[in-house]
Amino acid sequence: MGGAVIDEGPTGIKAPDGGWGWAILWGCFVITGFSYAFPKAVSVFFKELMREFGIGYSDTAWISSILLAMLYGTGPLCSVCVNRFGCRPVMLAGGLLASLGMVSASFCGSIIQLYLTTGVLTGLGLALNFQPSLIMLNRYFNKRRPMANGLAAAGSPVFLCALSPLGQVLQDHYGWRGGFLILGGLLLNCCVCAALMRPLEAPRQSLGSGPAPQRPPRRLLDLSVFRDRGFVIYALAASIMVLGLFVPPVFVVSYAKDLGVPDTKAAFLLTILGFIDIFARPTAGFITGLKKVRPYSVYLFSFAMFFNGFTDLTGSTASDYGGLVVFCIFFGISYGMVGALQFEVLMAIVGTQKFSSAIGLVLLLEAIAVLIGPPSGGKLLDATHVYQYVFILAGAEVLASSLVLVLGNFFCIRKRPETATEEECHKPPEDVKVDSREVEQFLKTEPEKNGEVVHTPETSV
């Protein structure tokens, strides 16, 4: 998987479902944790940045927004880089970029410079790590892939619970500049994870086995995935889902404060949500990996989205702190199920060969939704000053995505044209009797010499 060849992936190579795959899983766990938790952990430093640069909260919030936009919006670029250079080199470069962004941010003198360093550089570096790690996980696991996806997705809540308190400690002891510098050093662990991404190698052939089969040429960004109805339905459903998926965690603390809950207890709601999420993701992965459940993973994913949307709708009726605690528990379960299943279902739909391009295109579509969802909830809140309406809007969007996925899968994919199967087309009629002497004469007269069948234009592709 060098830098001069296109990364074709493990064509004809069976996924080991273990072995070095466990090291790949650990690396993916760490990368997922950094990618999803880092934009939220950086928010710990916002008050210090507001005080130093004399800016408002909306100005500092753009740092997290740019981080997320780079993580999602550079999906096609990551696909091209992976297909051109391979997963390991791209991840090594991404780890260096992510670290360089945070180290450079510690020397910044304006908020614009922070946008370019923490937002663009670090966001691009995390994106160049996140997508290739999922691609490698897909290549090393097949039978155990749902479990592997669930365990890797658990990195997000685990790192969120760890990085947020760590950021607060670093700010108290070293200020925001020292904290950014140390976090930049921590991001160099992405390079360590990149070194674990050993490409799969085809088994060596014996001398008499002949030349290895040539791989067909592959595009750097395979847009043919849009011809797959399953992918189109998934991409549409995922884009609608993201419009409302991230809205409740953004507003639940403010919702609690609006009900008169003290700040400490209100912030503890996110801790409850993250703690439940840690166990929900691996559990969802294990359940999806069961033989009787895995064929219906698409429907399980749609149920997870429906559960999440229904939780948002019921959460809008909470009138005290206890009601919000119950909401966070159920939201953590449904949110964890969605996080564990979203990429597993995409892998099952498009397969290994097209996954690197498919995930990049899906992340690009989700990036647009990420930039629309939370701001639209904020505008609705500014217009109505009623948090219930925000939760109802988010729940309706997620519910709509679940219906798009399940109905699209049922009517457009599950029902195939009623044509004869390949076995039926090639099955000889039962009433036709074949004479053994005719078969012997046929074998003698047909051009089959030295074990090589001479193909006619009608049989050659």
Side-chain angles (χ1 to χ4, degrees):
M1 197 176 289
V5 295
I6 294 179
D7 178 21
E8 293 289 351
T11 303
I13 304 177
K14 185 179 180 181
D17 276 306
W20 190 255
W22 300 117
I24 300 292
L25 175 58
W26 171 251
C28 192
F29 175 88
V30 175
I31 294 298
T32 303
F34 275 125
S35 300
Y36 277 111
F38 208 82
K40 300 173 185 176
V42 172
S43 62
V44 173
F45 300 93
F46 282 178
K47 287 187 177 180
E48 190 77 14
L49 295 175
M50 292 167 59
R51 187 180 302 111
E52 174 149 345
F53 296 115
I55 55 178
Y57 182 80
S58 59
D59 297 320
T60 56
W62 272 104
I63 297 176
S64 296
S65 299
I66 295 174
L67 267 170
L68 286 173
M70 293 299 295
L71 180 63
Y72 283 91
T74 55
L77 174 63
C78 296
S79 297
V80 171
C81 292
V82 168
N83 290 333
R84 180 65 180 87
F85 301 106
C87 291
R88 182 187 282 174
V90 171
M91 291 181 67
L92 285 170
L96 292 175
L97 273 178
S99 177
L100 177 63
M102 292 302 295
V103 172
S104 301
S106 64
F107 299 98
C108 288
S110 67
I111 190 65
I112 301 298
Q113 294 175 355
L114 283 176
Y115 293 160
L116 296 176
T117 52
T118 304
V120 176
L121 276 182
T122 302
L124 178 60
L126 292 175
L128 292 175
N129 274 271
F130 175 63
Q131 186 172 321
S133 67
L134 290 178
I135 295 172
M136 290 299 296
L137 189 70
N138 179 42
R139 293 176 180 174
Y140 267 84
F141 288 91
N142 184 22
K143 294 181 180 180
R144 297 177 176 175
R145 191 177 64 204
M147 176 200 67
N149 274 299
L151 291 173
S156 174
V158 170
F159 271 64
L160 181 60
C161 294
L163 286 179
S164 295
L166 176 63
Q168 188 65 51
V169 171
L170 293 177
Q171 178 179 276
D172 295 340
H173 287 78
Y174 305 104
W176 73 267
R177 295 185 184 275
F180 275 30
L181 186 64
I182 295 174
L183 289 177
L186 285 178
L187 286 176
L188 286 175
N189 286 288
C190 294
C191 296
V192 179
C193 297
L196 297 175
M197 302 299 164
R198 186 173 66 191
L200 286 172
E201 297 180 357
R204 295 182 179 180
Q205 297 183 342
S206 59
L207 297 177
S209 60
Q214 294 184 353
R215 294 172 176 173
R218 184 180 177 182
R219 299 174 183 176
L220 293 179
L221 185 61
D222 192 355
L223 298 178
S224 65
V225 293
F226 284 106
R227 300 175 185 173
D228 187 344
R229 288 178 296 179
F231 172 77
V232 173
I233 293 171
Y234 175 90
L236 177 61
S239 300
I240 299 174
M241 175 190 71
V242 171
L243 285 173
L245 183 65
F246 302 119
V247 172
V250 173
F251 291 98
V252 66
V253 175
S254 300
Y255 187 11
K257 292 179 181 179
D258 188 64
L259 294 176
V261 178
D263 293 353
T264 305
K265 293 181 66 177
F268 188 68
L269 290 173
L270 290 180
T271 304
I272 296 174
L273 194 155
F275 181 77
I276 299 297
D277 192 9
I278 291 175
F279 297 97
R281 297 190 183 218
T283 303
F286 278 109
I287 294 175
T288 308
L290 298 176
K291 291 183 179 180
K292 295 183 179 181
V293 178
R294 191 172 185 183
Y296 305 98
S297 59
V298 175
Y299 295 104
L300 184 61
F301 182 44
S302 63
F303 169 75
M305 292 191 293
F306 183 87
F307 185 20
N308 186 270
F310 183 76
T311 303
D312 293 342
L313 294 179
T314 55
S316 64
T317 62
S319 58
D320 54 12
Y321 184 72
L324 289 178
V325 169
V326 174
F327 163 76
C328 287
I329 292 174
F330 284 97
F331 185 87
I333 296 173
S334 60
Y335 189 77
M337 292 176 65
V338 171
L341 293 173
Q342 57 178 341
F343 296 119
E344 162 61 25
V345 172
L346 179 60
M347 292 175 187
I349 291 175
V350 301
T352 302
Q353 293 302 310
K354 294 184 178 181
F355 180 70
S356 59
S357 296
I359 187 176
L361 295 170
V362 167
L363 289 177
L364 176 61
L365 296 174
E366 289 184 353
I368 302 173
V370 165
L371 293 177
I372 295 176
S376 63
K379 288 187 176 181
L380 178 63
L381 182 62
D382 293 337
T384 62
H385 301 285
V386 179
Y387 283 92
Q388 286 86 346
Y389 293 159
V390 177
F391 281 69
I392 292 174
L393 175 63
E397 290 167 343
V398 180
L399 281 177
S401 67
S402 68
L403 294 177
V404 168
L405 183 62
V406 69
L407 295 178
N409 183 76
F410 184 80
F411 290 106
C412 300
I413 302 175
R414 186 172 178 269
K415 290 186 177 181
R416 299 179 179 178
E418 296 180 358
T419 56
T421 61
E422 184 177 356
E423 295 181 358
E424 294 174 350
C425 293
H426 292 83
K427 184 177 181 181
E430 296 180 356
D431 57 345
V432 177
K433 296 182 179 180
V434 181
D435 192 352
S436 60
R437 290 176 296 179
E438 294 179 0
V439 175
E440 183 178 0
Q441 182 65 24
F442 172 79
L443 294 175
K444 289 181 180 180
T445 57
E446 285 299 306
E448 182 176 2
K449 301 177 182 180
N450 300 325
E452 297 180 359
V453 179
V454 179
H455 295 277
T456 64
E458 290 79 12
T459 59
S460 298
V461 179

